Amino acid sequence: MSSAFDFDPQPRRASVAVDVGGVIVGGGAPVVVQSMTNTDTADIDATVAQVAALHRAGSELVRITVDRDESAAAVPKIRERLERLGLDVPLIGDFHYIGHKLLADHPACAEALAKYRINPGNVGFKAKKDKQFGAIIERAIQFDKPVRIGVNWGSLDQELLTRMMDDNQSQGFPLTAQQVMRETIVQSALISAELAEEIGLPRNRIILSAKVSNVQDLIACYAMLSSRSDHALHLGLTEAGMGSKGIVSSAASLGILMQQGIGDTIRISLTPEPGGDRTREVQVAQELLQVMGFRQFIPVVAACPGCGRTTSTVFQELARKIEDDIRRNMPVWREKYPGVEGLKVAVMGCIVNGPGESKHADIGISLPGTGELPAAPVYIDGKKAMTIRGTNIAGDFEVLVNAYIEK
Ligand code: SF4
């Protein structure tokens, strides 16, 4: 018979810790939140501004594209500007196709980055492939930097895929096409990691990822990868998509993996709306880790969905306002009030579930539903503390929340 504890998160998978510019990934360290800019890295002003915004929103590592000489030349300047702003967020360089050349020609860039990300599917073909991959690994050894070997199914090593398909055919097709694809993704990461180690990159300088855009494939690939290696793992669903679809797909796949103890750092890749806020992906990553109980970043505001018992929108507006206030004040509160991120505030629409939910929060209110008296009981630390009446219930509760946090 299964016990209730069987449904708790599995212990974290043992992985080799990797130091990325002072942020530890793997080895049991808290799961790290990271993100990526979408600016042209050669545009120093825009990139500094976006890295700063992502870091201030909570991104502990930020990846930037290094795709040509101009962007490689900009990297040390971006690093300097961030330092002048007092931001020591580690920068990760995303290299494709000519990474070996850029790192060789721009040693200041190689030094300024805290990690290199390479994609084994596009470092070259046939004989050139191992040479170019090897050149990047040698730079990482020279500058003592970790490397993420990031396989992506959209740019999968075609040579390896063809070989795996041929092998499958010669053995009478024991695997489906989908299984061959998954196996190729996993093999590409493992073979590349082995090659990097042979060249001399220590195990504690290697992180692996295997990104696909389908939830079930992603879960399968990471489950396979985690059972065959102890390298730290970067989780992310690639091309997750826009809006709620991207959020749901990422949360479903990464949530299941982390529940199984798999994953040392996560990135939620969301396609931003035109002109949309890039920091949204950081917020979603933090919320995912927080709702699963793995990390705490910000007080939780619990709010009921509302129903026919409350026809006013006061409680939704109040919940939104309190959440916005908390998010805006967090950088200061985090410094001033250690532990504030563990608080829970409840804003409920009526007395059906209001008192119960409020009692489980640090501070909560049950607003008057339709037809109820204009009185709102407030609960603090599990006990009814007072009842707010009158026309400014929302404003009065906001004052109480701020006072509670400051207390
Ligand atoms: Fe509806 Fe009240 Fe439940 Fe909110 S707490 S969903 S208003 S019954």
Side-chain angles (χ1 to χ4, degrees):
M1 198 173 79
S2 64
S3 96
F5 298 107
D6 293 343
F7 302 102
D8 284 342
Q10 297 298 304
R12 286 279 296 282
R13 158 187 168 267
S15 63
V16 179
V18 180
D19 184 335
V20 182
V23 174
I24 304 300
V25 175
V31 178
V32 170
V33 170
Q34 61 175 287
S35 57
M36 184 175 185
T37 57
N38 63 354
T39 54
D40 175 0
T41 304
D43 183 342
I44 296 172
D45 289 346
T47 304
V48 167
Q50 198 174 75
V51 172
L54 290 167
H55 184 53
R56 286 185 179 124
S59 186
E60 293 156 308
L61 304 171
V62 178
R63 183 157 47 114
I64 58 178
T65 299
V66 188
D67 58 342
R68 61 192 200 277
D69 284 309
E70 291 79 359
S71 49
V75 170
K77 294 174 190 152
I78 292 167
R79 174 77 275 149
E80 253 175 61
R81 290 265 299 273
L82 289 167
E83 277 165 17
R84 265 190 269 138
L85 290 170
L87 303 172
D88 64 354
V89 52
L91 294 177
I92 301 159
D94 201 52
F95 293 98
H96 299 274
Y97 308 110
I98 55 165
H100 58 292
K101 198 172 166 313
L102 294 173
L103 284 168
D105 294 347
H106 298 272
C109 165
E111 180 54 51
L113 293 169
K115 186 176 79 173
Y116 311 150
R117 183 265 165 145
I118 48 177
N119 178 342
N122 61 27
V123 286
F125 293 98
K126 297 202 163 57
K128 262 166 75 185
K129 184 172 68 183
D130 287 355
K131 220 168 128 212
Q132 295 179 356
F133 178 87
I136 296 176
I137 298 299
E138 275 162 16
R139 289 293 156 206
I141 296 167
Q142 179 189 348
F143 288 94
D144 195 18
K145 305 289 181 182
V147 168
R148 169 159 70 96
I149 296 168
V151 180
N152 190 309
W153 88 295
S155 47
L156 194 53
D157 183 335
Q158 292 304 305
E159 219 184 306
L160 181 62
L161 179 60
T162 307
R163 204 169 73 217
M164 301 282 288
M165 280 162 46
D166 289 348
D167 286 353
N168 193 45
Q169 186 178 13
S170 65
Q171 289 163 26
F173 295 106
L175 302 178
T176 64
Q178 186 182 31
Q179 287 169 329
V180 173
M181 194 270 287
R182 290 175 178 177
E183 188 62 34
T184 308
I185 290 168
V186 172
Q187 285 297 331
S188 177
L190 295 175
I191 292 168
S192 303
E194 217 174 281
L195 181 58
E197 282 187 68
E198 270 168 26
I199 296 167
L201 192 67
R203 292 181 76 68
N204 65 357
R205 291 281 180 275
I206 299 174
I207 296 174
L208 301 182
S209 67
K211 296 193 184 181
V212 296
S213 61
N214 173 284
V215 169
Q216 296 299 344
D217 286 332
L218 190 93
I219 294 168
C221 286
Y222 275 99
M224 288 155 73
L225 199 51
S226 69
S227 67
R228 299 187 203 171
S229 112
D230 63 357
H231 288 300
L233 295 181
H234 164 126
L235 302 189
L237 184 80
T238 193
E239 286 97 46
M242 297 183 76
S244 57
K245 188 244 172 199
I247 294 172
V248 171
S249 309
S250 292
S253 49
L254 272 53
I256 288 169
L257 286 165
M258 289 193 290
Q259 185 75 1
Q260 294 171 7
I262 299 169
D264 300 298
T265 175
I266 62 170
R267 180 195 172 203
I268 305 283
S269 312
L270 298 178
T271 307
E273 306 292 337
D277 185 357
R278 191 70 172 173
T279 60
R280 183 95 175 104
E281 64 176 50
V282 178
Q283 189 184 329
V284 173
Q286 287 189 332
E287 282 171 355
L288 175 60
L289 288 169
Q290 181 145 348
V291 297
M292 294 200 69
F294 297 137
R295 290 189 68 181
Q296 288 182 326
F297 297 96
I298 195 163
V300 171
V301 179
C304 76
C307 68
R309 285 185 54 83
T310 173
T311 48
S312 101
T313 56
V314 173
F315 87 95
Q316 291 103 320
E317 284 158 15
L318 178 59
R320 164 63 47 216
K321 178 95 178 31
I322 288 175
E323 202 163 286
D324 290 349
D325 284 354
I326 289 173
R327 207 163 277 288
R328 195 181 54 251
N329 287 319
M330 266 319 275
V332 176
W333 285 353
R334 203 173 278 122
E335 299 287 310
K336 266 174 96 177
Y337 312 120
V340 67
E341 56 279 351
L343 292 185
K344 182 176 172 190
V345 182
V347 179
M348 301 294 289
C350 83
I351 54 167
V352 171
N353 290 321
E357 188 67 44
S358 297
K359 278 183 201 163
H360 287 110
D362 293 289
I363 177 166
I365 189 168
S366 173
L367 285 155
T370 308
E372 288 171 19
L373 290 173
V378 172
Y379 295 80
I380 297 179
D381 297 331
K383 293 194 185 75
K384 186 172 169 188
M386 66 192 75
T387 299
I388 308 178
R389 296 173 204 277
T391 52
N392 190 32
I393 289 176
D396 290 347
F397 184 64
E398 257 187 276
V399 172
L400 285 175
V401 171
N402 285 333
Y404 183 86
I405 288 173
E406 285 169 20
K407 177 174 74 85

